């Protein structure tokens, strides 16, 4: 164990607490996770803030149902991502290096550069779903 680094981390955490930082763990998580993971957490936080701002206009019992639906939806997305990760690991271990290569024999699809627009639209769609479905008529009743 790198006890020196652990000691520095503990001292840094204590310093953050003494300075009155609201969430020292957020700083700690941001320091050791890769940027793409931290960016996804940041976007999730923004979506949560937007949903909270919209839900603040509703009655308390409706807000509780909205939060319940949102947590359920987000948990499903996290579980789905984990299952896809397992599927990809299994295919890799079975010798399939790439689905694209398996299906077409090429290293990448010809339409791959144009796919970026569709992916961006899909990301916007997921953001819309994460805010709109919990706020919808079924989620708010």
């Amino acid at each position: 164990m790198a006890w020196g680094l652990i000691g520095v981390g503990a001292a840094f955490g204590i310093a953050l607490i003494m300075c009155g930082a609201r969430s020292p763990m957020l700083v700690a998580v941001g320091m050791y996770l890769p940027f793409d993971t931290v960016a996804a957490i940041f976007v999730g936080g923004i979506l949560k803030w937007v949903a909270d701002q919209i839900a603040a206009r509703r009655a308390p019992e409706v807000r509780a149902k909205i939060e319940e639906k949102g947590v359920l939806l987000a948990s499903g997305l996290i579980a789905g991502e984990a299952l896809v990760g397992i599927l990809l690991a299994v295919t890799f271990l079975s010798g399939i290096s790439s689905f694209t290569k398996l299906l077409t024999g090429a290293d990448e699809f010809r339409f791959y550069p144009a796919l970026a627009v569709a992916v961006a639209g899909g990301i916007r769609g997921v953001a819309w779903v994460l805010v709109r479905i919990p706020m919808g008529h079924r989620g708010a009743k």
Side-chain angles (χ1 to χ4, degrees):
M1 293 287 292
W3 291 107
L5 293 176
I6 292 172
V8 169
F12 186 60
I14 291 169
L16 284 172
I17 291 169
M18 291 177 69
C19 289
R22 286 181 49 189
S23 294
M25 285 304 295
L26 292 177
V27 175
V29 167
M31 290 178 70
Y32 82 89
L33 287 177
F35 179 74
D36 53 349
T37 304
V38 175
I41 292 170
F42 178 72
V43 170
I46 290 174
L47 290 175
K48 171 76 167 123
W49 178 79
V50 168
D52 285 347
Q53 295 302 310
I54 295 169
R57 301 181 203 135
R58 310 255 173 111
E61 63 275 355
V62 174
R63 277 190 297 229
K65 287 191 181 241
I66 288 171
E67 181 147 350
E68 190 177 297
K69 283 271 193 189
V71 168
L72 183 63
L73 185 61
S75 299
L77 288 172
I78 291 168
E81 185 269 337
L83 291 173
V84 169
I86 291 170
L87 175 70
L88 291 174
V90 167
T91 57
F92 177 77
L93 291 175
S94 66
I96 300 171
S97 62
S98 156
F99 282 116
T100 308
K101 194 151 194 121
L102 178 71
L103 295 173
T104 65
D107 286 334
E108 65 180 41
F109 292 118
R110 283 185 231 122
F111 60 84
Y112 186 71
L115 189 62
V117 174
V119 169
I123 291 171
R124 282 192 295 266
V126 168
W128 182 83
V129 163
L130 282 171
V131 173
R132 182 66 183 144
I133 285 182
M135 300 293 170
H137 296 294
R138 289 185 186 155
K141 287 184 181 176

